[in-house]
Amino acid sequence: MENFMKADVFFFLTGTMVIVLIVIFIFAGYYLMQILKNFRDISAKLKSATDSVGDDFENIHDQIIHSWLYQFLFGKKNKKHK
């Protein structure tokens, strides 16, 4: 009879711990999903910012290439072929 009581206590404690661990994993999963959502939002903002910076650099490059000073200093010289 005593063995059955020990088994009942063991199964009760094991079942309780399994339920507690499941609740902990649910909360951890919820917070992990929130962290991943924030990471996705941050990475989307960074991507749009880097695209914007790339466009700005392209515009600056075009302005430099077409500036009179650049054309004067580094302009192509016409070569006559014989």
Side-chain angles (χ1 to χ4, degrees):
M1 187 71 167
E2 188 175 320
N3 288 337
F4 289 118
M5 273 181 63
K6 287 182 182 179
D8 286 341
V9 169
F10 171 76
F11 287 122
F12 175 75
L13 290 176
T14 303
T16 305
M17 288 308 296
V18 166
I19 292 171
V20 168
L21 287 175
I22 288 172
V23 169
I24 289 172
F25 283 132
I26 288 172
F27 280 118
Y30 174 75
Y31 284 114
L32 181 64
M33 286 179 11
Q34 294 297 320
I35 289 169
L36 291 175
K37 180 182 174 189
N38 287 339
F39 181 73
R40 183 184 65 209
D41 294 341
I42 291 169
S43 65
K45 288 179 183 177
L46 284 174
K47 183 180 182 313
S48 67
T50 55
D51 290 343
S52 174
V53 168
D55 292 340
D56 290 342
F57 277 130
E58 187 175 326
N59 290 337
I60 291 170
H61 175 264
D62 289 341
Q63 288 177 0
I64 290 173
I65 293 296
H66 295 99
S67 70
W68 66 270
L69 182 62
Y70 183 85
Q71 292 296 325
F72 177 73
L73 294 176
F74 303 108
K76 293 182 180 179
K77 296 183 170 96
N78 292 331
K79 294 183 180 179
K80 294 182 181 179
H81 294 287
K82 292 184 180 181

